[in-house]
Amino acid sequence: MITAQMVKELRERTGAGMMNCKKALTKANGDMEKAIEVLRENGLATAAKKSGRTTAEGLVDAFISPDSKCGSLVEVNCETDFVSANGEFKEFVKNAAKQAAFSKTDSPEELVKENYIANSSVTLKDALTSLIAKLGENMAIRRFAKFSTEKGLVLSYIHGEGKIGVLVELSCDSVNDITKTVGKEIAMQIAAANPLFLNRESVDNKTLEKEKEIYKVEALNEGKPEKIAVRMVEGKVKKYYKQNCLLEQEWIKDSDYSIEKYLKEKSKEAGFPIEVKRFARFEKGEGIEKKEENFAEEVKNKLNRRSKCMKNGEHIV
């Protein structure tokens, strides 16, 4: 059964009209991702990336070691922006990021079993459970990324007070003002342009073949002959690389430069190669659909939490 909510979500993700969304969902038997493909094949979808809806609350934060040799990026979710602005919640997120940077695990489920970096007498999970009880909302460490390097540096960038976070690892012979500036510029580029891959070699074959098929069907649906459709696919693949591969993207500060060209120029200035090894980008609530509440109920819940905080003598943000 195709529901109004499904149509609404597809419309928000693609920008297509309501009726076209309903028809696409019907053709795809309710499969959201397949419906997006159907819309794209017919030239009706304006969104090409599977970014999902950004509706969950919480914060994205980072930790970078004093020597810039290691760092981490973490996303911790909660239910409302009221709690995400709370000082104790912010402090917990910062501590979780620091703990993730030095942890040996790559799994949030294993991370929470470790002793809490701010209080070794309890686990990270215990600290989180205590905070949940105190602030009255469910919370979770959703994901984290951690980088370390011997030859180079790790940098971060947080945008919008924790809405978007980026972690970047550079390979370079020296950590100086030039490499630090490059790292920050690259991190800001990633935050703004949201590349999916480092370079075209990083694009997996499955993703590429899927894009080619969509482009071909789209061209044929427009009435283009087979040979013309093939040439159009080649052109659109190049555009896909330019839009989604970091090194081929236009630099947001100067469209005369690609990121690759910018790196080459700064490498020449530094006197040694500066390369981007890897990056991670988290957007708060990415892909999570928040439970909708009516406005009156939301205000009531906020007032109840505020009253609880005042009763306990806690600071209200």
Side-chain angles (χ1 to χ4, degrees):
M1 179 181 177
I2 308 303
T3 66
Q5 181 59 37
M6 292 167 69
V7 174
K8 179 174 180 287
E9 180 182 346
L10 183 59
R11 186 169 189 268
E12 289 175 349
R13 291 183 63 176
T14 64
M18 297 289 279
M19 289 306 298
N20 288 323
C21 288
K22 185 175 181 180
K23 289 177 182 178
L25 282 165
T26 301
K27 186 174 182 179
N29 294 319
D31 186 316
M32 188 65 64
E33 302 303 328
K34 181 62 179 175
I36 291 173
E37 289 183 26
V38 171
L39 288 172
R40 290 185 63 199
E41 288 171 354
N42 288 280
L44 298 172
T46 58
K49 297 177 182 178
K50 303 176 186 178
S51 56
R53 295 175 60 190
T54 307
T55 52
E57 297 301 333
L59 289 173
V60 177
D61 208 346
F63 170 82
I64 301 296
S65 63
D67 62 0
S68 298
K69 293 298 183 182
C70 75
S72 66
L73 188 68
V74 66
E75 178 186 358
V76 182
N77 295 129
C78 59
E79 295 179 41
T80 67
D81 57 356
F82 179 76
V83 163
S84 66
N86 179 276
E88 289 184 77
F89 179 78
K90 289 181 177 180
E91 185 65 22
F92 176 82
V93 177
K94 284 189 177 298
N95 287 332
K98 185 175 182 180
Q99 182 150 348
F102 298 110
S103 176
K104 293 182 179 180
T105 184
D106 294 314
S107 162
E109 291 77 18
E110 293 300 316
L111 181 69
V112 295
K113 296 177 183 179
E114 298 177 355
N115 290 337
Y116 186 32
I117 197 167
N119 180 3
S120 59
S121 64
V122 299
T123 65
L124 183 59
K125 185 176 182 179
D126 291 335
L128 182 59
T129 301
S130 177
L131 191 60
I132 290 171
K134 189 171 186 178
L135 300 183
E137 279 193 13
N138 191 27
M139 305 170 199
I141 299 175
R142 183 187 180 198
R143 52 182 172 169
F144 67 90
K146 56 189 178 76
F147 298 162
S148 62
T149 180
E150 293 182 1
K151 184 184 177 182
L153 71 159
V154 178
L155 301 100
S156 67
Y157 172 69
I158 302 297
H159 176 76
E161 297 183 345
K163 181 182 178 181
I164 297 173
V166 175
L167 191 68
V168 178
E169 180 188 337
L170 294 185
S171 172
C172 51
D173 291 342
S174 176
V175 177
N176 55 32
D177 289 343
I178 294 176
T179 52
K180 287 181 179 179
T181 298
V182 170
K184 287 294 182 183
E185 292 292 349
I186 295 298
M188 290 173 67
Q189 171 77 21
I190 294 166
N194 192 15
L196 302 179
F197 308 97
L198 175 60
N199 50 36
R200 63 175 61 191
E201 290 76 26
S202 305
V203 182
D204 61 281
N205 191 60
K206 183 178 179 181
T207 297
L208 190 59
E209 291 304 315
K210 189 173 183 180
E211 290 297 317
K212 287 180 179 179
E213 181 61 27
I214 289 172
Y215 297 149
K216 184 177 180 180
V217 173
E218 181 183 8
L220 293 174
N221 285 341
E222 292 174 356
K224 300 293 191 298
E226 180 82 19
K227 290 183 179 179
I228 299 296
V230 170
R231 286 203 294 270
M232 288 179 67
V233 168
E234 292 174 357
K236 290 202 171 189
V237 166
K238 289 180 181 178
K239 186 176 179 181
Y240 180 83
Y241 286 143
K242 189 173 181 179
Q243 290 177 336
N244 295 288
C245 298
L246 173 64
L247 297 185
E248 298 192 29
Q249 285 183 336
E250 289 183 355
W251 185 24
I252 56 173
K253 285 193 173 182
D254 188 342
S255 59
D256 289 336
Y257 283 78
S258 67
I259 293 301
E260 186 172 33
K261 181 181 177 182
Y262 168 72
L263 286 170
K264 286 180 179 178
E265 187 167 291
K266 300 308 288 187
S267 295
K268 186 176 180 180
E269 182 182 338
F272 50 77
I274 304 174
E275 299 178 357
V276 180
K277 298 298 290 183
R278 51 183 170 167
F279 66 86
R281 181 187 186 275
F282 292 168
E283 188 165 347
K284 178 188 70 175
E286 193 171 41
I288 300 175
E289 185 171 350
K290 183 182 177 182
K291 178 183 176 182
E292 293 186 6
E293 298 179 351
N294 63 54
F295 180 71
E297 189 67 23
E298 185 177 347
V299 171
K300 180 181 176 182
N301 289 340
K302 286 190 175 184
L303 289 174
N304 286 339
R305 281 191 292 274
R306 184 178 289 269
S307 176
K308 181 180 177 181
C309 288
M310 292 176 69
K311 189 179 294 184
N312 294 336
E314 297 163 12
H315 178 64
I316 302 172
V317 179

